[in-house]
């Protein structure tokens, strides 16, 4: 007998299976093509794992629903339950660790200044880890985050009125309190009346265009500020996904119950509609 819940689970998992193909293909493409950057290597493994995971789970749900296989549906529901719990935990965790810290408005500046100590200790430890920062630094270099500023031909007044991104403000220029003399957006010189600022970033800054302030505390703070903004958007997306998963899980439970009824019923009995 026709089962609405089984058919709906089958359709949803078929769509999920189709979505897993480009994700898996993207990961394999990054892994096999030549000239892969460190940043791309960092992305390829999660893409492959996510693609394989979505493919296997969707196949289990698809076969379980269409073939009335209670065991596969049970495995599917178990994995879905774990996924809902993990996603819920990550959503709460992401909200907590990004709840602290924000850029400071600089006097007569269109951009904000970023300090590492303003953010949560968990995020600080992630960027202060030398191994983690080496990967992040490689990504910043590959992305050429300071290139647009290097190529700009702005006066000082134009530059300070510019609305720089957190990474541009933290990584592409020295902190304002260093009081360096402006030559161009990524070239600054130590003033004759050096104020000997206590900020360690003042001595870390380099006019070498491949170094700039990539090793500054302000750069790490700018990365965290960027991550915080993205994580806040992910939290909203996660809530939407959680609602969707809970609905799918509920439909899957109905399909599982239908299969159990069909399998436990007398020969020739197919149960009612659900």
């Amino acid at each position: 007998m026709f089962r609405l819940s089984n058919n709906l689970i089958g359709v949803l998992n078929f769509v999920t299976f189709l979505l897993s193909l480009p994700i898996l293909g993207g990961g394999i493409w990054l892994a096999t093509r030549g000239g892969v950057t460190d940043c791309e290597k960092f992305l390829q493994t999660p893409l492959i794992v996510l693609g394989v995971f979505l493919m296997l789970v969707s196949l289990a749900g698809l076969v379980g629903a269409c073939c009335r296989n209670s065991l596969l549906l049970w495995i599917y529901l178990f994995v879905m339950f774990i996924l809902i719990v993990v996603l819920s935990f990550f959503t709460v965790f992401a909200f907590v660790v990004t709840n602290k810290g924000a850029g400071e408005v600089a006097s007569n500046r269109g951009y904000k200044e970023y300090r590492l100590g303003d953010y949560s200790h968990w995020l600080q430890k992630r960027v202060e880890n030398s191994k983690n920062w080496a990967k992040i630094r490689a990504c910043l270099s590959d992305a050429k985050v300071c290139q647009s500023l290097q190529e700009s031909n702005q006066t000082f007044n134009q530059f300070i009125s510019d609305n720089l991104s957190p990474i541009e403000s933290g990584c592409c220029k020295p902190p304002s309190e260093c009081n360096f003399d402006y030559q161009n957006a990524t070239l600054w010189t130590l003033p004759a009346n050096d104020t000997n600022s206590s900020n360690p970033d003042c001595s870390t800054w380099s006019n070498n265009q491949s170094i700039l302030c990539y090793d500054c505390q302000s750069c790490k703070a700018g990365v965290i500020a960027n991550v915080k903004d993205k994580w806040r958007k992910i939290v909203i997306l996660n809530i939407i996904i959680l609602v969707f998963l809970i609905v799918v899980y509920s439909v899957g439970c109905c399909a599982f119950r239908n299969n159990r009824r069909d399998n436990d019923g007398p020969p020739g009995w197919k149960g009612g509609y659900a």
Side-chain angles (χ1 to χ4, degrees):
M1 177 129 356
F2 174 76
R3 300 285 188 180
L4 178 60
S5 54
N6 286 66
N7 289 348
L8 184 55
I9 282 292
V11 170
L12 290 173
N13 282 282
F14 179 71
V15 173
T16 304
F17 175 78
L18 294 179
L19 290 176
S20 71
L21 295 178
I23 295 175
L24 180 59
I28 294 174
W29 178 73
L30 285 176
T32 55
R33 76 186 185 95
V36 179
T37 65
D38 291 337
C39 191
E40 291 170 331
K41 288 179 182 177
F42 182 72
L43 292 173
Q44 68 190 30
T45 301
L47 282 176
I48 292 174
V49 172
L50 178 61
V52 171
F53 174 79
L54 288 177
M55 182 176 291
L56 293 178
V57 172
S58 60
L59 283 175
L62 183 62
V63 175
C66 295
C67 299
R68 307 291 195 266
N69 190 309
S70 296
L71 176 61
L72 283 178
L73 264 183
W74 185 89
I75 294 174
Y76 170 76
L77 291 174
F78 176 77
V79 174
M80 286 287 289
F81 176 77
I82 297 298
L83 184 60
I84 290 173
V85 171
V86 171
L87 199 57
S88 299
F89 173 80
F90 174 76
T91 301
V92 174
F93 174 76
F95 178 81
V96 171
V97 299
T98 59
N99 195 43
K100 181 182 178 182
E104 298 180 1
V105 177
S107 178
N108 300 319
R109 299 288 194 272
Y111 50 80
K112 295 180 179 180
E113 298 285 348
Y114 298 87
R115 299 177 185 275
L116 187 59
D118 293 341
Y119 297 90
S120 71
H121 292 298
W122 188 88
L123 288 173
Q124 288 184 48
K125 289 180 179 179
R126 301 288 81 75
V127 296
E128 287 182 327
N129 180 286
S130 57
K131 190 173 182 179
N132 290 342
W133 185 248
K135 293 178 180 178
I136 296 171
R137 197 184 189 287
C139 289
L140 295 175
S141 179
D142 292 339
K144 296 180 173 59
V145 295
C146 298
Q147 184 173 4
S148 61
L149 293 179
Q150 291 170 346
E151 295 173 351
S152 67
N153 187 24
Q154 297 175 309
T155 65
F156 178 68
N157 288 332
Q158 289 174 327
F159 175 77
I160 62 174
S161 63
D162 202 358
N163 182 23
L164 304 179
S165 69
I167 291 180
E168 287 177 331
S169 176
C171 306
C172 304
K173 66 167 189 61
S176 298
E177 66 181 90
C178 296
N179 293 317
F180 284 0
D181 290 331
Y182 178 86
Q183 304 300 314
N184 62 46
T186 58
L187 185 64
W188 303 72
T189 58
L190 190 68
N193 56 339
D194 181 16
T195 57
N196 294 317
S197 172
S198 59
N199 190 330
D201 288 350
C202 298
S203 58
T204 305
W205 166 265
S206 172
N207 281 320
N208 185 321
Q209 299 299 290
S210 63
I211 299 177
L212 299 178
C213 221
Y214 285 137
D215 292 318
C216 294
Q217 297 294 299
S218 63
C219 185
K220 295 175 181 178
V223 169
I224 291 179
N226 189 58
V227 168
K228 176 182 175 179
D229 179 63
K230 293 186 184 312
W231 276 27
R232 282 303 178 90
K233 294 176 182 177
I234 290 175
V235 166
I236 298 174
L237 179 62
N238 279 354
I239 293 174
I240 297 173
I241 293 174
L242 272 172
V243 173
F244 173 76
L245 288 178
I246 291 172
V247 171
V248 173
Y249 182 78
S250 301
V251 175
C253 289
C254 292
F256 180 73
R257 183 190 61 189
N258 291 338
N259 288 355
R260 291 293 298 272
R261 285 179 177 176
D262 288 350
N263 293 335
D264 294 342
W269 184 82
K270 295 297 181 183
Y273 291 88

